[in-house]
Amino acid sequence: MITVAGDVLFSPGQATLTAGGKKELDQVATRIKREFGGNSIRVEGYTDSDPITKSKWSSNEELSSARAVAVEKYLATK
């Protein structure tokens, strides 16, 4: 299992990867290739500890899903 803190990858309430998050995922992608090449991987997303109040996301669950998809798509390019 490889775990990366969400606050490294995303700004609060956002599902767009930060520059620092992309750099971190580059390292994760290298490790995946080296240690888990040829295997399926699963990406799980978590969300902010603050509840959604004013956001384009209707729920924290929706934000969590969008973040997981953003990570998955980024890793797929690596």
Side-chain angles (χ1 to χ4, degrees):
M1 179 182 341
I2 301 172
T3 304
V4 180
D7 60 345
V8 171
L9 300 177
F10 302 100
S11 297
Q14 300 297 313
T16 302
L17 290 163
T18 63
K22 289 178 181 179
K23 186 175 180 180
E24 184 75 20
L25 288 178
D26 289 343
Q27 294 175 6
V28 169
T30 299
R31 184 172 170 205
I32 289 170
K33 287 179 194 176
R34 184 179 64 242
E35 296 179 26
F36 307 103
N39 292 301
S40 296
I41 64 166
R42 180 176 71 191
V43 175
E44 294 181 359
Y46 294 90
T47 190
D48 302 329
S49 58
D50 299 329
I52 296 290
T53 52
K54 293 182 180 179
S55 173
K56 72 177 193 174
W57 312 107
S58 61
S59 67
N60 277 349
E61 184 177 350
E62 189 177 310
L63 174 58
S64 175
S65 294
R67 286 179 170 183
V69 169
V71 169
E72 179 183 351
K73 285 183 177 180
Y74 186 80
L75 289 175
T77 67
K78 301 298 171 181

